[in-house]
């Protein structure tokens, strides 16, 4: 009962290109993120927005066909169970431009996926000399630039716009974000796709980045 929906890609390379940054550039990015943008007169460039989106977006999105109505108890005769396997059915959506997934992780029994943004921003940390891992910590505002490994120079305005976009609540100023905060921000983002649980495509992300930049410059 798995279905697949394919969408036209604006640029497959944007979502699949690898990103690396030297330690020197990483330090520069952290400083740039803290720099005032009061004198800036432009919005983030298209290249900056594409780079940041690609660093956080998944090219495959999994969604619950029940829209959250299934109790997930594998009741007899449930239409959301795949008869051959007994696992939960899911829909798979692919788009070359990708999506900001509206979840940290989804579990459909035979397939468990974590979102790219959660892996990037909230990684599990290994404990030296142990097979155990430490749970993800909240991401601090001045850590954002160092956690997104990008090969391009990103302006202070673009970093601050991204932080605003990833923060839940209109106009809220967060010094740190949890994975729950980012999930809420994505699902609540203006233009998010309700049919996909609040997923955000590139066009929607671009619009919200530009709106965030305009708000920052007006303050």
């Amino acid at each position: 009962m798995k279905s697949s929906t394919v969408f036209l890609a604006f640029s497959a390379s944007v979502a699949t290109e690898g990103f690396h940054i030297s330690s020197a550039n990483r330090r520069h990015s952290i400083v740039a993120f803290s720099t005032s943008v009061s004198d800036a007169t432009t919005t983030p460039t298209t290249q900056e927005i594409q780079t940041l989106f690609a660093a956080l977006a998944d090219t495959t999105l999994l969604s619950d066909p029940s829209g959250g109505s299934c109790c997930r108890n594998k009741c007899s005769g449930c239409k959301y169970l795949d008869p051959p396997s007994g696992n939960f059915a899911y829909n798979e959506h692919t788009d070359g431009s990708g999506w900001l997934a509206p979840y940290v992780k989804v579990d459909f029994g035979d397939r468990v996926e974590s979102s790219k943004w959660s892996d990037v921003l909230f990684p599990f940390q290994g404990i030296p000399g142990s097979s155990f891992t430490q749970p993800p910590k909240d991401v601090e505002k001045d850590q954002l630039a160092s956690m997104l490994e990008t090969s391009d120079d990103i302006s202070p305005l673009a970093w601050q716009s991204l932080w605003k976009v990833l923060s839940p609540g209109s106009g809220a100023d967060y010094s740190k974000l949890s994975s729950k905060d980012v999930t809420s921000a994505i699902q609540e983002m203006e233009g998010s796709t309700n049919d996909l649980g609040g997923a955000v495509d590139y066009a929607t992300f671009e619009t919200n980045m530009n709106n965030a930049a305009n708000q920052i410059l007006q303050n």
Side-chain angles (χ1 to χ4, degrees), residues 119-211:
D119 290 338
V120 170
L121 299 178
F122 304 97
F124 282 85
Q125 302 290 337
I127 300 176
S130 171
S131 60
F132 295 99
T133 58
Q134 296 177 332
K137 299 179 180 179
D138 292 353
V139 58
E140 303 283 344
K141 190 172 185 179
D142 61 2
Q143 295 175 327
L144 183 63
S146 64
M147 301 189 78
L148 272 70
E149 296 188 347
T150 66
S151 59
D152 297 333
D153 288 332
I154 304 297
S155 67
L157 179 58
W159 283 122
Q160 294 190 30
S161 299
L162 177 62
W163 184 262
K164 191 174 186 66
V165 164
L166 296 179
S167 300
S170 176
D173 184 16
Y174 290 77
S175 61
K176 60 182 179 180
L177 295 171
S178 66
S179 58
K180 183 178 180 180
D181 290 331
V182 176
T183 301
S184 296
I186 291 172
Q187 293 175 343
E188 297 167 0
M189 201 176 299
E190 184 176 355
S192 62
T193 308
N194 291 333
D195 290 345
L196 298 179
V200 170
D201 62 14
Y202 173 77
T204 299
F205 178 76
E206 181 180 36
T207 297
N208 281 269
M209 282 286 290
N210 287 325
N211 289 342

Side-chain angles (χ1 to χ4, degrees), residues 12-212:
S13 63
V14 170
T16 59
E17 181 181 356
F19 299 96
H20 304 282
I21 187 170
S22 67
S23 58
N25 286 338
R26 182 177 290 113
R27 289 193 295 272
H28 172 72
S29 296
I30 296 172
V31 172
F33 184 76
S34 301
T35 302
S36 171
V37 297
S38 58
D39 296 329
T41 57
T42 62
T43 57
T45 67
T46 298
Q47 181 60 46
E48 287 178 321
I49 296 174
Q50 288 180 349
T51 297
L52 294 174
F53 183 78
L56 297 171
D58 289 282
T59 54
T60 300
L61 183 74
L62 303 183
S63 66
D64 177 2
S66 78
S69 63
C70 177
C71 67
R72 308 300 288 266
N73 287 324
K74 294 191 174 183
C75 303
S76 177
C78 176
K79 64 180 180 179
Y80 298 114
L81 291 179
D82 182 30
S85 66
N87 290 312
F88 295 108
Y90 59 88
N91 293 327
E92 181 174 356
H93 313 269
T94 58
D95 180 354
S97 65
W99 304 85
L100 292 184
Y103 49 75
V104 172
K105 182 176 74 172
V106 287
D107 184 349
F108 292 102
D110 63 332
R111 187 167 181 181
V112 179
E113 297 278 351
S114 58
S115 60
K116 186 176 180 180
W117 65 259
S118 67
D119 290 338
V120 170
L121 299 178
F122 304 97
F124 282 85
Q125 302 290 337
I127 300 176
S130 171
S131 60
F132 295 99
T133 58
Q134 296 177 332
K137 299 179 180 179
D138 292 353
V139 58
E140 303 283 344
K141 190 172 185 179
D142 61 2
Q143 295 175 327
L144 183 63
S146 64
M147 301 189 78
L148 272 70
E149 296 188 347
T150 66
S151 59
D152 297 333
D153 288 332
I154 304 297
S155 67
L157 179 58
W159 283 122
Q160 294 190 30
S161 299
L162 177 62
W163 184 262
K164 191 174 186 66
V165 164
L166 296 179
S167 300
S170 176
D173 184 16
Y174 290 77
S175 61
K176 60 182 179 180
L177 295 171
S178 66
S179 58
K180 183 178 180 180
D181 290 331
V182 176
T183 301
S184 296
I186 291 172
Q187 293 175 343
E188 297 167 0
M189 201 176 299
E190 184 176 355
S192 62
T193 308
N194 291 333
D195 290 345
L196 298 179
V200 170
D201 62 14
Y202 173 77
T204 299
F205 178 76
E206 181 180 36
T207 297
N208 281 269
M209 282 286 290
N210 287 325
N211 289 342

